[in-house]
Amino acid sequence: MLKTKKNSIAILIVLGVVGVVLSTRYSKQNELPHILMPTIESGVLYDVSMTSSDLPTLRRGVGVEQYYHILLKAGISYKFTSHVDWLGMEAHLYADDGKQIGEMECAYRARCDFYVTPKKDTWGLLRIVGNYDAVDTDKKFTLEVGESASLYGSTPPPNRTITLRPGTLPVINSNIYYTGTVSQKDVPFYKSGEGSIQNYSIHLPAGQKVQAIAKSSGFDISLQILDADRVLVSRFSEEDKRDACLQVTPPKEGMYILRVMTRNLDNLKTPGAGDFTLEVSTNDKISQPCT
């Protein structure tokens, strides 16, 4: 009797451990990945191309954007320089606390720059925006980051030239329940640095109803589904609610962009942080329509 009881307890313990392991593995598999941003360096002249395959901006049908990381060291002055021919471009630099620390706008055979001297080591996020019709032809310009011992000091010429390649979007699947996180290191919703944007690539069928639901832990959350040319549908969370639900019937089968946008409406000056869930369902997997 005692032996049987001990065996039963041992079996329950083993089952409990297996359950925890499987639960941990399942949750990790369904964590939303973040975009892998390429890293740029100082002392390099980058050739930048912006095409219709880049990410659309929040402005409907106007412009595309790319994201890059750069390590900025405390006490060193950095000069960001761009030379453009016909493309109108912007560059916005954010510190790892989400605050914008530098920006420039440049267009039509101009040479533009800005300087930054960080007080501490930080991983900067550089957001490059091409201000042109997203279906336009290929547009090119150069970008250079130089180091100087003092603000507005001279910087050495670049030691090599590299073609800059943007990062690829993480791919997610429909009919899977995902968990995600929002942090100050995300791409900001606003150019000034507040809020966050996370973009994913997802394959959607033609002619079938698709539903996306996002729920947050305490911040405003919004959704968009886009193709290469336009925003198909947007849905913003309503006042006093922390979720968003949208439905769309894609006109053609293929890869689409699913964009999750978050803001801290209680204090727009802070980026906000927390957790959210995301689920994209198709046809018979839709339990109930959006209200």
Side-chain angles (χ1 to χ4, degrees):
M1 183 78 173
L2 183 60
K3 185 175 182 181
T4 302
K5 187 175 181 181
K6 287 183 178 179
N7 288 340
S8 299
I9 294 174
I11 290 173
L12 288 174
I13 292 174
V14 171
L15 289 176
V17 171
V18 171
V20 170
V21 171
L22 290 177
S23 175
T24 302
R25 181 179 300 175
Y26 178 80
S27 64
K28 286 185 177 179
Q29 286 178 342
N30 295 334
E31 289 180 0
L32 283 168
H34 288 264
I35 184 173
L36 295 177
M37 301 182 197
T39 300
I40 61 176
E41 303 174 6
S42 58
V44 179
L45 180 66
Y46 291 99
D47 289 324
V48 185
S49 294
M50 306 202 80
T51 71
S52 58
S53 62
D54 290 322
L55 279 169
T57 65
L58 289 175
R59 291 171 292 180
R60 296 191 175 204
V62 181
V64 293
E65 56 188 32
Q66 300 175 1
Y67 315 129
Y68 300 95
H69 274 146
I70 181 171
L71 178 60
L72 304 174
K73 297 180 180 180
I76 296 179
S77 292
Y78 295 87
K79 179 182 180 182
F80 289 74
T81 304
S82 181
H83 182 272
V84 304
D85 287 327
W86 297 109
L87 167 69
M89 64 82 67
E90 302 173 20
H92 302 268
L93 181 65
Y94 308 93
D96 55 15
D97 61 0
K99 295 181 179 179
Q100 180 172 264
I101 55 176
E103 64 176 331
M104 64 179 168
E105 295 187 21
C106 205
Y108 309 115
R109 297 190 180 278
R111 184 180 180 89
C112 309
D113 55 49
F114 68 88
Y115 293 81
V116 171
T117 306
K119 295 181 179 179
K120 64 176 184 177
D121 292 355
T122 183
W123 273 102
L125 189 160
L126 184 65
R127 178 189 216 155
I128 300 175
V129 182
N131 295 322
Y132 71 99
D133 190 332
V135 299
D136 203 350
T137 55
D138 186 25
K139 301 292 183 181
K140 298 181 178 180
F141 57 94
T142 61
L143 175 70
E144 178 188 347
V145 183
E147 293 186 13
S148 173
S150 61
L151 186 63
Y152 307 121
S154 60
T155 58
N159 53 43
R160 63 190 188 279
T161 301
I162 296 177
T163 299
L164 197 56
R165 307 290 186 189
T168 56
L169 290 185
V171 177
I172 62 173
N173 299 309
S174 56
N175 303 318
I176 292 180
Y177 185 84
Y178 287 99
T179 59
T181 58
V182 174
S183 74
Q184 296 175 335
K185 297 181 181 180
D186 291 331
V187 176
F189 181 90
Y190 298 104
K191 291 181 181 178
S192 53
E194 299 83 12
S196 77
I197 297 175
Q198 296 184 23
N199 296 287
Y200 307 98
S201 184
I202 185 170
H203 180 271
L204 299 178
Q208 296 186 30
K209 184 178 293 185
V210 174
Q211 182 185 73
I213 301 176
K215 297 180 180 181
S216 82
S217 61
F219 44 81
D220 179 69
I221 193 165
S222 311
L223 293 171
Q224 280 186 340
I225 292 181
L226 314 88
D227 62 12
D229 301 326
R230 62 194 173 99
V231 176
L232 296 183
V233 62
S234 299
R235 178 60 64 91
F236 295 84
S237 55
E238 299 177 2
E239 186 176 0
D240 298 328
K241 291 186 177 181
R242 294 295 183 259
D243 55 53
C245 179
L246 61 78
Q247 290 183 338
V248 65
T249 302
K252 58 184 179 181
E253 181 179 359
M255 301 303 293
Y256 289 80
I257 298 171
L258 175 62
R259 176 173 285 164
V260 180
M261 302 164 288
T262 62
R263 298 173 295 174
N264 182 5
L265 293 182
D266 296 327
N267 186 357
L268 286 177
K269 293 184 178 181
T270 62
D275 302 321
F276 68 94
T277 61
L278 174 67
E279 187 172 15
V280 181
S281 306
T282 56
N283 266 6
D284 59 328
K285 301 294 183 180
I286 298 175
S287 57
Q288 59 183 16
C290 299
T291 57

